[in-house]
Amino acid sequence: MHRLKLSICFRAIGLLMIINFTEGSEKPEGTEKVKVLTVATAENHGYQRFMRSAKTYGIDVEVLGKHLEWTGGDMNHPGGGQKINLLKSRLEEMMKTETKDTIVLFTDSYDVLFLSNLKDIVDTFKAFPNTRVLFAAEQYCWPDSKLAGKYPKIEVANPYLNSGGFIGYLPEIHEIVNYRPTSDKEDDQLYYTKIYLDKKLRESLKMSLDHNSAIFQNLNGALSDVQLKINTTDETYPYIENAVTKERPLIVHGNGPSKLTLNYFGNYLAKAWSVSEGCVLCKEKHVEYKTELPTVMMAVFIEQPTPFIEEFLDQILTTDYPKDKIHLLLRNNVEYHETEVDEFFATHSEKYATAKRIKPSDFITESEARNIAKDRCVNSACDFLFSIDSLSRLEAGTLRYLVSTGYDVVAPLLVRPGHAWSNFWGAINSAGFYARSADYMDIVYQAVKGIWNVPFITNCYIINTAVLRTSSAKSVTYTKDGLDPDMAFCSTLRELGIHMHVSNEMDFGHLVNPETYDTSRTHPDMYQIFDNKMEWATRYLHDDYHNNFDEFRKHAMPCPDVYWFPLMSKRFCREWIDIMEAFGQWSDGSNNDKRLESGYEAVPTRDIHMTQVGLDRHWLYILKEFVRPLQEMVFTGYYHNPPVSIMNFVVRYRPDEQPSLRPHHDSSTYTINLALNTPIVDYEGGGCRFIRYNCSVRDTKPGWLLMHPGRLTHYHEGLLVTKGTRYIMISFVDP
């Protein structure tokens, strides 16, 4: 590959490039001198991506208009005449110094990617017959659709001129841009279109359109035609192919509303990613902080009742990042969580560089609170804004990772366990709402790994404050009519050309699901076993539960075929009792029981059934997930999944109510008896005596489970409670 000399010119909407072979470099045989020009006035993310693609393929670029004020229009009222005038000035200089066989390549910048080297582009251009100037082509006649009837009558995929890219010889392009005076605000595409539609000019200048996208692929109107080829056997890197024309374009342009599709393609194209190397771009952008870490504004938002809020606050505290480098802003908008937040802030706020709190009583809206966090960060010695919502559960090293990615706006991938619900959207529809990208599931399930340009992120992300301090980004806001704060924020980022990303390079944590969280219940976290099983199991399973399955573990058996297992945590036991006592409707201990289908209980107890407190389904799930594996381990040969249990209830023994239970068999294949409180401490006496074996279990431990056969062999009785209150949880499994 020949060395090229790089110079750059950048503009808000377009790019004009000039590429020169450096002095002393060998000019390819039979190849004219080539200049590549671009126009650009701001070095935004689209510009950086474009320049990287040029560098990837050895293309040196001269940028016109760099650091000038863009006067050619904006995204809502595009002009482009400024591009023509900048190009006109540069070509005047070139006409004095360059030969007539010099080739000029022009292309827009912010929404363009090079997909091949300059030699391929020039060779393809020279293969067009009777052509001195070749313009890109598209499917829409824009900006004046009435001109469509004036185009040559030919059946082609892309019949209309697009000004985002053209290539040709210097004299002809010079003549085109000097055809008449142009204002900066004039539309450049309309200017070139009218010249092309003049048959005499078209023929004399030998102007052609790239109807089949041999060089220039415009995406607007062609999204269904263009296919991204990723997992290829004969190609190292992904590429695009036009399925209609069978061409493999060399330059791709996300014109009009197709810019988000270009962002998607840009995750893979220009050697940014490959099956063999993974995310090449990620490695290029990675930053190592060898000495001092950057300062971070950690903005924490509790905007809705959230399951397991204590664990969320604990993760804030245990984030692996120096606390003197963290400025904490904690916003709680949920009165139900004020107790936990009060305790956290009172205990830990002094550990941070600064700490500020926004309470429900401050009557500040969510969008206002998020804007406060952003503005505090922008107006202070803050390098990054780290926004984290209470639904996010993060690994301790996530923040360190995010600041080192080198990306200005990036979120760690967080997914609801067992679901495809995540904290990003791979695409959006025309109304700005969720749409699924082709690679969404691959990203969620890490079939591909990297850092991905996406149109929407939420729940947890980091922003390089330098981006927010630029003049254009000062309009970034969480407030926009008709949109929630996150959508408003992402919408303004998209409008400003600030790219958002999500990383799935490693496991960063997950999202909790708040949809069924009902704070009107006593201990509502207890009811979250289905929607938030990971948190539920961490809090409520016994610390030694998983040790039950150690290969050489000898299980406790206090009586013949009566096994004893650690199952539930002490916190589970306390909260289980609280739920029952808050409900308060204990049975009277008589044989008459309207809760039963028969209305009769042969061996009655003072109890509350799980159906009465809305926990029956939850308890059956506990039996299936956590008790059944224990049963199968010790009572080998018996397998019944899921276990069936009609009778699931908490029994309360008191000396002045029901102090004991007469001898009986259980109507079960096996019975489980979970101790919920502590002998000697909470009550005296109590226990279970297995009469046939004259064996009693008295020193029960809260959270430990007794499991024994129900019928025939294990005739048993509940021993007398002489003081206090004893609680046990009972299930008759597989009656």
Side-chain angles (χ1 to χ4, degrees):
M1 180 177 294
H2 299 278
R3 289 179 52 225
L4 302 174
K5 179 181 177 182
L6 173 63
S7 63
I8 300 173
C9 173
F10 187 51
R11 158 228 169 214
I13 297 181
L15 168 67
L16 172 66
M17 303 170 74
I18 300 180
I19 296 185
N20 282 306
F21 293 99
T22 60
E23 291 184 15
S25 64
E26 181 183 352
K27 182 179 177 180
E29 184 178 351
T31 301
E32 292 81 351
K33 192 172 185 179
V34 182
K35 301 278 189 177
V36 180
L37 301 171
T38 186
V39 174
T41 58
E43 297 184 10
N44 64 13
H45 290 151
Y47 170 78
Q48 294 166 8
R49 176 181 61 192
F50 172 81
M51 294 306 297
R52 180 196 173 273
S53 75
K55 181 180 178 181
T56 296
Y57 293 104
I59 300 175
D60 290 341
V61 182
E62 179 181 344
V63 181
L64 307 179
K66 196 171 185 179
H67 304 308
L68 294 179
E69 180 183 358
W70 174 246
T71 60
D74 55 37
M75 295 187 69
N76 297 318
H77 304 91
Q82 188 177 9
K83 287 191 291 183
I84 299 174
N85 290 328
L86 289 168
L87 177 56
K88 184 186 301 185
S89 297
R90 184 65 182 100
L91 294 185
E92 287 295 337
E93 298 172 3
M94 292 174 57
M95 288 294 287
K96 300 173 185 177
T97 60
E98 307 296 340
T99 61
K100 292 183 179 181
D101 65 349
T102 298
I103 292 175
V104 175
L105 170 63
F106 169 86
T107 176
D108 284 356
S109 58
Y110 295 175
D111 51 6
V112 169
L113 283 171
F114 285 104
L115 306 181
S116 191
N117 59 54
L118 192 58
K119 183 179 185 303
D120 289 344
I121 294 169
V122 171
D123 287 349
T124 304
F125 162 64
K126 292 171 67 177
F128 276 77
N130 196 33
T131 298
R132 296 282 293 178
V133 179
L134 179 71
F135 272 83
E138 63 170 297
Q139 295 189 15
Y140 298 118
C141 184
W142 189 90
D144 186 354
S145 60
K146 295 189 295 294
L147 295 177
K150 296 184 178 182
Y151 274 82
K153 307 299 182 185
I154 53 176
E155 291 293 330
V156 291
N158 301 291
Y160 307 114
L161 180 144
N162 178 276
S163 63
F166 53 85
I167 184 171
Y169 290 93
L170 174 59
E172 283 78 8
I173 293 181
H174 177 263
E175 183 175 344
I176 289 171
V177 298
N178 283 280
Y179 178 68
R180 63 173 174 79
T182 312
S183 74
D184 281 355
K185 295 189 180 296
E186 184 173 342
D187 188 88
D188 57 325
Q189 184 150 307
L190 184 60
Y191 174 90
Y192 293 125
T193 296
K194 288 182 177 180
I195 294 174
Y196 177 79
L197 293 180
D198 186 315
K199 184 177 181 182
K200 289 183 179 180
L201 284 174
R202 182 172 69 244
E203 292 178 351
S204 66
L205 295 170
K206 295 184 178 180
M207 296 174 68
S208 299
L209 302 185
D210 186 7
H211 295 298
N212 292 329
S213 304
I215 296 177
F216 304 105
Q217 176 64 66
N218 290 293
L219 294 176
N220 189 27
L223 299 183
S224 60
D225 300 343
V226 181
Q227 298 178 348
L228 178 65
K229 305 288 187 178
I230 298 178
N231 296 309
T232 60
T233 57
D234 57 339
E235 295 289 339
T236 303
Y237 294 100
Y239 62 92
I240 58 171
E241 181 178 80
N242 190 306
V244 175
T245 66
K246 307 304 180 186
E247 294 284 357
R248 183 167 159 179
L250 308 178
I251 298 171
V252 61
H253 180 202
N255 59 316
S258 66
K259 289 174 175 53
L260 294 182
T261 300
L262 181 72
N263 291 349
Y264 161 65
F265 284 159
N267 289 324
Y268 300 94
L269 299 179
K271 302 182 181 180
W273 187 92
S274 74
V275 173
S276 59
E277 299 180 55
C279 184
V280 178
L281 183 57
C282 302
K283 300 179 181 73
E284 293 174 3
K285 294 181 75 68
H286 182 77
V287 177
E288 285 287 345
Y289 292 97
K290 298 185 181 298
T291 54
E292 194 169 355
L293 287 167
T295 301
V296 175
M297 170 74 73
M298 180 184 285
V300 179
F301 297 92
I302 305 172
E303 297 297 333
Q304 62 190 109
T306 303
F308 302 97
I309 197 70
E310 293 174 37
E311 287 80 353
F312 170 72
L313 294 171
D314 285 345
Q315 83 173 14
I316 298 300
L317 185 64
T318 57
T319 297
D320 180 20
Y321 206 86
K323 289 183 175 52
D324 62 353
K325 288 290 184 180
I326 297 177
H327 296 269
L328 178 66
L329 187 149
L330 177 53
R331 141 77 171 203
N332 175 37
N333 195 40
V334 182
E335 196 68 45
Y336 181 80
H337 293 317
E338 271 294 272
T339 300
E340 293 93 338
V341 175
D342 279 344
E343 182 179 351
F344 174 87
F345 205 80
T347 306
H348 304 297
S349 61
E350 293 184 357
K351 298 175 182 177
Y352 295 90
T354 63
K356 177 179 173 59
R357 183 175 171 192
I358 302 176
K359 301 180 179 181
S361 57
D362 293 327
F363 300 108
I364 293 175
T365 66
E366 179 184 352
S367 58
E368 290 171 339
R370 292 184 184 273
N371 281 327
I372 287 171
K374 172 182 67 70
D375 293 341
R376 281 174 63 89
C377 190
V378 168
N379 297 318
S380 65
C382 170
D383 300 308
F384 289 92
L385 172 63
F386 180 45
S387 177
I388 176 171
D389 295 356
S390 59
L391 302 182
S392 303
R393 302 303 153 95
L394 301 180
E395 296 295 324
T398 299
L399 178 55
R400 279 182 182 263
Y401 165 85
L402 292 175
V403 299
S404 70
T405 62
Y407 289 78
D408 288 331
V409 185
V410 59
L413 174 65
L414 302 174
V415 181
R416 289 183 184 177
H419 301 274
W421 181 291
S422 76
N423 64 327
F424 81 99
W425 296 350
I428 58 175
N429 60 25
S430 58
F433 293 98
Y434 172 83
R436 179 171 289 185
S437 63
D439 60 356
Y440 178 82
M441 299 301 288
D442 287 339
I443 293 173
V444 165
Y445 291 109
Q446 295 183 303
V448 295
K449 289 186 177 183
I451 300 178
W452 312 95
N453 190 322
V454 296
F456 178 85
I457 54 176
T458 186
N459 296 129
C460 181
Y461 47 83
I462 198 166
I463 309 169
N464 187 332
T465 315
V467 172
L468 298 176
R469 292 191 179 113
T470 61
S471 57
S472 61
K474 289 181 179 179
S475 59
V476 171
T477 180
Y478 288 90
T479 305
K480 207 170 189 181
D481 288 344
L483 297 179
D484 65 36
D486 281 336
M487 291 191 66
F489 170 70
C490 293
S491 175
T492 57
L493 291 185
R494 294 194 301 269
E495 290 170 0
L496 294 167
I498 298 173
H499 293 172
M500 295 163 275
H501 302 84
V502 65
S503 174
N504 70 341
E505 287 196 299
M506 59 185 69
D507 181 14
F508 299 105
H510 61 277
L511 296 174
V512 296
N513 182 355
E515 292 178 2
T516 63
Y517 194 60
D518 183 359
T519 58
S520 68
R521 292 186 180 277
T522 302
H523 299 305
D525 292 324
M526 185 67 78
Y527 293 79
Q528 290 296 302
I529 190 170
F530 299 110
D531 290 330
N532 296 290
K533 182 180 176 181
M534 290 176 62
E535 276 73 23
W536 192 97
T538 299
R539 177 186 286 187
Y540 292 126
L541 280 184
H542 197 287
D543 288 342
D544 289 333
Y545 171 76
H546 293 289
N547 295 334
N548 287 316
F549 304 96
D550 289 350
E551 184 176 359
F552 300 106
R553 183 180 180 92
K554 185 175 182 180
H555 303 292
M557 189 168 63
C559 295
D561 278 338
V562 178
Y563 290 94
W564 212 2
F565 301 106
L567 177 66
M568 293 301 180
S569 67
K570 290 183 179 179
R571 180 164 181 172
F572 172 93
C573 297
R574 290 195 304 271
E575 293 186 7
W576 205 256
I577 292 171
D578 288 346
I579 292 170
M580 304 308 145
E581 289 294 0
F583 179 69
Q585 298 180 30
W586 297 91
S587 63
D588 61 7
S590 69
N591 296 111
N592 297 317
D593 194 337
K594 294 180 180 179
R595 299 170 300 175
L596 303 180
E597 186 176 355
S598 65
Y600 179 81
E601 171 57 66
V603 187
T605 53
R606 295 262 186 168
D607 57 49
I608 293 175
H609 290 187
M610 295 304 98
T611 53
Q612 295 177 270
V613 291
L615 282 169
D616 194 55
R617 190 167 63 97
H618 305 72
W619 182 254
L620 290 174
Y621 188 76
I622 292 171
L623 294 181
K624 176 180 181 293
E625 291 294 305
F626 305 118
V627 174
R628 177 185 56 81
L630 299 173
Q631 172 265 301
E632 292 174 0
M633 182 171 55
V634 294
F635 292 121
T636 56
Y638 183 76
Y639 179 83
H640 192 193
N641 187 19
V644 175
S645 182
I646 299 172
M647 296 290 287
N648 307 290
F649 53 98
V650 170
V651 179
R652 184 174 75 181
Y653 290 109
R654 282 178 174 171
D656 59 347
E657 287 185 347
Q658 180 178 4
S660 61
L661 186 63
R662 67 175 177 81
H664 62 282
H665 283 109
D666 293 335
S667 179
S668 67
T669 300
Y670 65 95
T671 294
I672 61 169
N673 178 333
L674 177 68
L676 295 176
N677 58 344
T678 307
I680 307 302
V681 175
D682 298 313
Y683 62 91
E684 294 179 8
C688 183
R689 176 173 175 259
F690 294 92
I691 297 168
R692 182 180 182 188
Y693 307 105
N694 193 26
C695 179
S696 298
V697 181
R698 298 178 184 273
D699 298 326
T700 58
K701 293 177 280 189
W704 280 66
L705 176 78
L706 284 177
M707 179 185 294
H708 60 83
R711 296 183 180 88
L712 191 62
T713 57
H714 282 64
Y715 191 59
H716 60 284
E717 63 179 332
L719 298 176
L720 183 70
V721 172
T722 59
K723 185 178 180 181
T725 304
R726 179 189 179 210
Y727 298 93
I728 57 175
M729 174 70 205
I730 301 293
S731 284
F732 300 149
V733 184
D734 296 339

